[in-house]
Amino acid sequence: MTIPTETAERIATAVRTIATTASSRLGSDCIWHALACRHLLAREGIDDARLVAGYAAWRVDGKDPGAVVCHHAAGVPCDPASGGLLFHAWVACGTQVFDATTYQLGRKMAAMDAADGGRTPVRWSPPFLLVERTQCQSWRSVRDGFRAGLFCYDPIPAIAERVAGHPDTELDADAIALLEQVYGRVKRGDPLVVVGPCGIAATA
């Protein structure tokens, strides 16, 4: 099956609205975003979407050499002794890549700048990405290709296997009910303001 752009936009809006009001780990909650998207896609009859995990990177500015948000081992080595796992999660459906976390790119770059004192411009941070796999670039092309909007998504089966076994890969009943309620309002075009423990967000 193919994910229509309009469906992806509605789903991304619902997921983003909930995450920005309720997620205490905004910026490191890609598994939840992917699971939420997959659930809502199945609700729309697109039941062959799957959770994918691996490495990813996005170039957010075309002039600054360091304007790359990176969840990629080639760009940000992770010390095995730390027990950490550097990865990103997204949804794949046929030949499509669907990522509802790209609205966070500015936030992620700001966190990187806070750590190293930089002031990196962010000229590209789309609300979501729905692209064909063939549009993905290599990590080297994203790093060296001075053009905002380049991205790479590299699935790593071993990482996907670890992620699939994590307890966070299940949505609880409350999360599902909220997702479906907000998505229903978005789909009908009814404006909605969501108030959560982490903020306030509107769907329109």
Side-chain angles (χ1 to χ4, degrees):
M1 292 183 176
T2 299
I3 304 172
T5 300
E6 186 177 25
T7 299
E9 182 177 10
R10 290 170 175 165
I11 288 175
T13 297
V15 170
R16 181 176 66 253
T17 300
I18 295 172
T20 53
T21 57
S23 177
S24 60
R25 299 185 299 118
L26 201 64
S28 58
D29 52 359
C30 57
I31 296 176
W32 183 86
H33 278 73
L35 291 173
C37 288
R38 187 180 65 177
H39 175 82
L40 292 177
L41 286 168
R43 187 179 184 275
E44 291 294 337
I46 304 172
D47 54 10
D48 57 343
R50 64 191 189 281
L51 176 72
V52 180
Y55 299 140
W58 307 264
R59 174 161 280 285
V60 297
D61 181 74
K63 297 180 180 179
D64 191 306
V68 176
V69 176
C70 184
H71 291 257
H72 205 294
V76 184
C78 185
D79 180 5
S82 70
L85 179 63
L86 178 71
F87 74 95
H88 184 62
W90 61 93
V91 170
C93 184
T95 60
Q96 293 176 299
V97 170
F98 179 28
D99 186 355
T101 69
T102 50
Y103 70 94
Q104 300 176 353
L105 293 179
R107 175 187 294 264
K108 292 180 179 183
M109 182 55 75
M112 293 167 59
D113 282 346
D116 62 17
R119 296 182 64 183
T120 309
V122 176
R123 306 191 189 282
W124 182 76
S125 180
F128 69 95
L129 273 185
L130 178 67
V131 296
E132 287 292 322
R133 175 106 217 122
T134 54
Q135 294 175 257
C136 297
Q137 305 290 318
S138 67
W139 152 249
R140 189 181 297 274
S141 296
V142 174
R143 182 193 66 187
D144 300 337
F146 286 83
R147 178 165 60 85
L150 297 175
F151 51 84
C152 74
Y153 288 87
D154 296 336
I156 307 294
I159 294 178
E161 185 175 349
R162 287 187 62 180
V163 169
H166 195 278
D168 285 350
T169 53
E170 294 291 336
L171 296 175
D172 61 33
D174 289 341
I176 290 172
L178 180 59
L179 265 176
E180 295 190 349
Q181 180 182 8
V182 173
Y183 180 66
R185 293 285 294 270
V186 172
K187 187 174 181 180
R188 291 192 301 271
D190 298 336
L192 176 68
V193 175
V194 177
V195 180
C198 301
I200 302 173
T203 58

